[in-house]
Amino acid sequence: SKALNGSISNLENLKLVQIAFTKKCPLNCEHCYEGHELNKKDTLSLDDHKQILQKLHAAGISVIQYGGGEPMTHVDDLVELFESAPGKSDFYIYTSGFNCSRKNLERLKNAGLTGISIGIDHYLAEKHNAFRRNDKAFQWALDAAKNARDLNLVLTFTICATKEFCSEENLWNYLNFANEQGASFIQVLEPRAAGNYEYQDVYLNLEQLTTLETFFLQANADASKKHLPIVLYTGYHQRKKGCLGAGNGYLYIDTDGYISSCPFCRNMKTHILDKNHETAIHELKIDGCDLP
């Protein structure tokens, strides 16, 4: 996949790729960016995913994250996929916690899984369950966290910080909650008008963004907080340095195999298995990001 002039190609320049593994999911979360595709028929086969993995590995991409839908609806396929990897890769799974039994996570770890990121959007069970539209979701997440911790998998909690949630008190309570559950990282995402949030006024206002940025900086820089999980907040860096996706640092492959800048900017380009992926990634860089 070398560029025409022999330099590093657009694909080889990527640090990681996020792949939507399946449309299947037992939930229909308030914020789901794949909400319009959930539980439709999957168009990518396991062999397709193996080809995609081989292509990414040939380009030297060693960090690959699988989301959905809910990838843990297809544990057997993931095990076979990881075992088919042509070389060493760091595999991560984005999950609600569904089907993350110790047995399933142990099988995946033995096949090459490095860590899981659990979508957990509140430290209070009733709030998280309402957001996830399922009264079992909070317990799934807690059980998955315990199993991941027991197996020494890298554990991240990912939260969509909505307008309702985004207060100093909630953010610190959430970080302490994640620490109690053994997470090493929390990843804070801002709500975007995509998927189930399409056409809705969900963007954070300036005061909320300031609250979030202050929390992010204090949590990571204050010596008295160093025992707490590391906070990942791409929105902060994105506003200062530009889009971290869009073919610059990573790209997103949707449930049909098409390339986009990220899960939220659905500027769909060519299929990842097409030969003109280099042109498509170049176009993503030019398109940039519409983050306000």
Side-chain angles (χ1 to χ4, degrees), residues 131-290:
F131 195 78
R132 295 274 162 169
R133 297 169 176 165
N134 187 300
D135 61 6
K136 298 177 182 178
F138 193 75
Q139 194 60 51
W140 287 349
L142 294 190
D143 290 346
K146 180 182 185 304
N147 292 331
R149 189 174 65 244
D150 289 348
L151 291 166
N152 292 317
L153 290 166
V154 177
L155 178 61
T156 303
F157 281 5
T158 296
I159 178 172
C160 178
T162 62
K163 289 181 174 183
E164 179 187 16
F165 182 89
C166 201
S167 70
E168 184 177 355
E169 179 184 8
N170 279 341
L171 290 165
W172 286 108
N173 283 344
Y174 184 90
L175 185 60
N176 283 302
F177 160 74
N179 183 55
E180 291 166 2
Q181 300 303 320
S184 295
F185 303 91
I186 70 166
Q187 178 176 235
V188 182
L189 302 177
E190 296 171 26
R192 303 288 298 276
N196 284 346
Y197 273 164
E198 191 174 10
Y199 306 123
Q200 295 188 40
D201 180 21
V202 295
Y203 290 103
L204 302 180
N205 62 34
L206 182 59
E207 181 181 355
Q208 291 159 339
L209 289 172
T210 301
T211 298
L212 195 48
E213 290 188 1
T214 301
F215 161 74
F216 163 69
L217 294 172
Q218 288 182 352
N220 288 336
D222 190 332
S224 68
K225 313 295 184 187
K226 64 182 180 181
H227 64 289
L228 296 172
I230 295 169
V231 179
L232 311 173
Y233 174 34
T234 56
Y236 174 84
H237 304 289
Q238 199 158 332
R239 288 188 174 83
K240 295 183 179 302
K241 298 184 178 180
C243 184
L244 304 181
N248 291 304
Y250 78 96
L251 58 79
Y252 180 70
I253 300 172
D254 70 17
T255 52
D256 293 315
Y258 287 90
I259 295 171
S260 293
S261 291
C262 79
F264 309 105
C265 295
R266 306 315 281 271
N267 46 354
M268 192 168 66
K269 299 295 184 183
T270 188
H271 198 282
I272 183 60
L273 293 178
D274 287 348
K275 292 183 178 179
N276 60 340
H277 64 270
E278 281 298 299
T279 301
I281 298 174
H282 179 68
E283 290 173 357
L284 291 178
K285 291 181 178 181
I286 295 173
D287 289 348
C289 180
D290 64 356

Side-chain angles (χ1 to χ4, degrees), residues 17-242:
V17 171
Q18 184 178 340
I19 303 173
F21 189 71
T22 178
K23 301 175 193 282
K24 188 173 177 59
C25 187
L27 303 175
N28 184 20
C29 304
E30 178 181 309
H31 66 319
C32 182
Y33 51 74
E34 288 283 2
H36 301 323
E37 296 298 316
L38 287 188
N39 295 313
K40 294 181 180 178
K41 183 176 175 59
D42 280 325
T43 58
L44 291 175
S45 67
L46 179 55
D47 283 342
D48 290 331
H49 279 292
K50 288 180 179 179
Q51 288 183 52
I52 292 170
L53 181 56
Q54 288 171 358
K55 183 170 186 174
L56 298 180
H57 189 270
I61 298 166
S62 60
V63 180
I64 303 172
Q65 302 171 338
Y66 287 97
E70 172 55 74
M72 293 299 291
T73 57
H74 294 285
V75 173
D76 291 346
D77 286 348
L78 286 170
V79 169
E80 185 174 337
L81 177 64
F82 293 173
E83 288 178 344
S84 78
K88 179 73 174 94
S89 297
D90 285 332
F91 294 119
Y92 293 86
I93 289 175
Y94 281 99
T95 177
S96 64
F98 172 78
N99 210 24
C100 288
S101 66
R102 182 186 173 100
K103 178 182 177 182
N104 284 341
L105 291 183
E106 190 167 24
R107 288 178 64 204
L108 287 163
K109 180 181 180 180
N110 291 337
L113 180 67
T114 300
I116 65 171
S117 180
I118 303 174
I120 184 161
D121 296 288
H122 211 289
Y123 53 88
L124 298 177
E126 63 273 18
K127 294 279 191 179
H128 174 71
N129 288 343
F131 195 78
R132 295 274 162 169
R133 297 169 176 165
N134 187 300
D135 61 6
K136 298 177 182 178
F138 193 75
Q139 194 60 51
W140 287 349
L142 294 190
D143 290 346
K146 180 182 185 304
N147 292 331
R149 189 174 65 244
D150 289 348
L151 291 166
N152 292 317
L153 290 166
V154 177
L155 178 61
T156 303
F157 281 5
T158 296
I159 178 172
C160 178
T162 62
K163 289 181 174 183
E164 179 187 16
F165 182 89
C166 201
S167 70
E168 184 177 355
E169 179 184 8
N170 279 341
L171 290 165
W172 286 108
N173 283 344
Y174 184 90
L175 185 60
N176 283 302
F177 160 74
N179 183 55
E180 291 166 2
Q181 300 303 320
S184 295
F185 303 91
I186 70 166
Q187 178 176 235
V188 182
L189 302 177
E190 296 171 26
R192 303 288 298 276
N196 284 346
Y197 273 164
E198 191 174 10
Y199 306 123
Q200 295 188 40
D201 180 21
V202 295
Y203 290 103
L204 302 180
N205 62 34
L206 182 59
E207 181 181 355
Q208 291 159 339
L209 289 172
T210 301
T211 298
L212 195 48
E213 290 188 1
T214 301
F215 161 74
F216 163 69
L217 294 172
Q218 288 182 352
N220 288 336
D222 190 332
S224 68
K225 313 295 184 187
K226 64 182 180 181
H227 64 289
L228 296 172
I230 295 169
V231 179
L232 311 173
Y233 174 34
T234 56
Y236 174 84
H237 304 289
Q238 199 158 332
R239 288 188 174 83
K240 295 183 179 302
K241 298 184 178 180

